[in-house]
Amino acid sequence: MDLPVLFSDENTLQVQAGKSVLVFKKNGEIKDPFYHFAFDIPANKFEEAYSWFKPGVSFLWVNDYKSYVADFTNWNAKSFYFYDPAGNILEIIARFDLDNMVTREFSGASICSISELGIVFPFHNFSFEISDFMRKYSLQFFKKQPPGPNFKVTGDEHGLFIMVPEGRDWFPDTGKKSVIFPISVSFETKHGQFKWQGVN
């Protein structure tokens, strides 16, 4: 993806993704962990980004849209998906309600931020865990996505937590079940700066 590497050794990889920093840490006790996260790109660069990524990745088919592109009309956004070499589900998304258009040619440097992170909660007390999480950080459901029984989204256009119960198939048609793996995320809301660490 041509992202700047901030630090790398045999146990850690840290890269800059626009305004965000993404860190992978090796954990010998965890076998083949994988995550879902999304990168925002400028709203006017979606087609260019699709062409830029196409030679290097295998896009995931989105059966709901009969395409490799998901057109989320209720979010006024478009996405495409692929696996990274470690099996993480990566999403590239353009949100057309954001004022982030640019004129320069698309490259890895065009990525704006990590704008979505999938968080997996235990199936047996999914609703309670989410209510507790949202109350602790004064979070609200994303206004463009009504909460469903096994898919809930909190945050806003600039940063979203995609919250699902363990065992749910990850979108789009991956066949990969959501699993709880270790995770840590630092984020900011109007109420302040926070760090959440969980077994996700």
Side-chain angles (χ1 to χ4, degrees):
M1 292 180 60
D2 199 24
L3 298 177
V5 175
L6 302 178
F7 178 79
S8 177
D9 65 15
E10 62 181 8
N11 295 311
T12 303
L13 173 64
Q14 185 179 84
V15 297
Q16 188 79 45
K19 298 176 182 178
S20 305
V21 176
L22 178 64
V23 182
F24 294 101
K25 292 187 177 181
K26 183 182 292 186
N27 184 331
E29 299 177 0
I30 306 296
K31 181 176 174 58
D32 301 325
F34 63 91
Y35 302 86
H36 162 63
F37 45 94
F39 296 100
D40 260 14
I41 59 171
N44 63 328
K45 292 293 180 176
F46 185 79
E47 289 77 14
E48 195 175 327
Y50 187 91
S51 298
W52 188 84
F53 276 98
K54 189 174 182 179
V57 301
S58 296
F59 294 136
L60 299 175
W61 181 254
V62 187
N63 196 50
D64 288 354
Y65 297 92
K66 307 301 180 190
S67 171
Y68 290 110
V69 173
D71 186 358
F72 300 116
T73 55
N74 56 328
W75 289 25
N76 195 22
K78 288 185 177 181
S79 294
F80 56 87
Y81 300 78
F82 55 91
Y83 294 124
D84 74 1
N88 297 300
I89 304 163
L90 272 61
E91 176 183 0
I92 305 297
I93 184 167
R95 305 176 194 275
F96 303 116
D97 289 337
L98 291 181
D99 182 16
N100 61 3
M101 293 188 291
V102 297
T103 57
R104 65 181 181 274
E105 184 178 351
F106 184 86
S107 70
S110 304
I111 289 172
C112 303
S113 65
I114 300 170
S115 64
E116 295 180 17
L117 177 65
I119 300 179
V120 185
F121 290 97
F123 177 83
H124 66 277
N125 58 348
F126 178 58
S127 295
F128 172 81
E129 292 272 358
I130 287 179
S131 296
D132 186 62
F133 176 74
M134 292 179 65
R135 182 172 55 251
K136 183 175 182 180
Y137 300 108
S138 300
L139 299 172
Q140 302 293 323
F141 286 121
F142 184 37
K143 63 182 180 180
K144 295 182 179 181
Q145 181 63 54
N150 64 353
F151 180 81
K152 304 178 191 295
V153 183
T154 185
D156 61 25
E157 299 276 10
H158 301 282
L160 298 169
F161 292 123
I162 309 298
M163 303 178 294
V164 301
E166 57 185 335
R168 182 186 186 274
D169 284 351
W170 277 117
F171 187 85
D173 311 297
T174 62
K176 296 186 78 163
K177 302 289 185 183
S178 55
V179 181
I180 297 175
F181 292 118
I183 193 169
S184 176
V185 56
S186 298
F187 61 100
E188 183 177 2
T189 74
K190 63 182 179 181
H191 301 288
Q193 295 181 334
F194 305 99
K195 183 173 182 178
W196 179 77
Q197 192 161 356
V199 178
N200 176 44

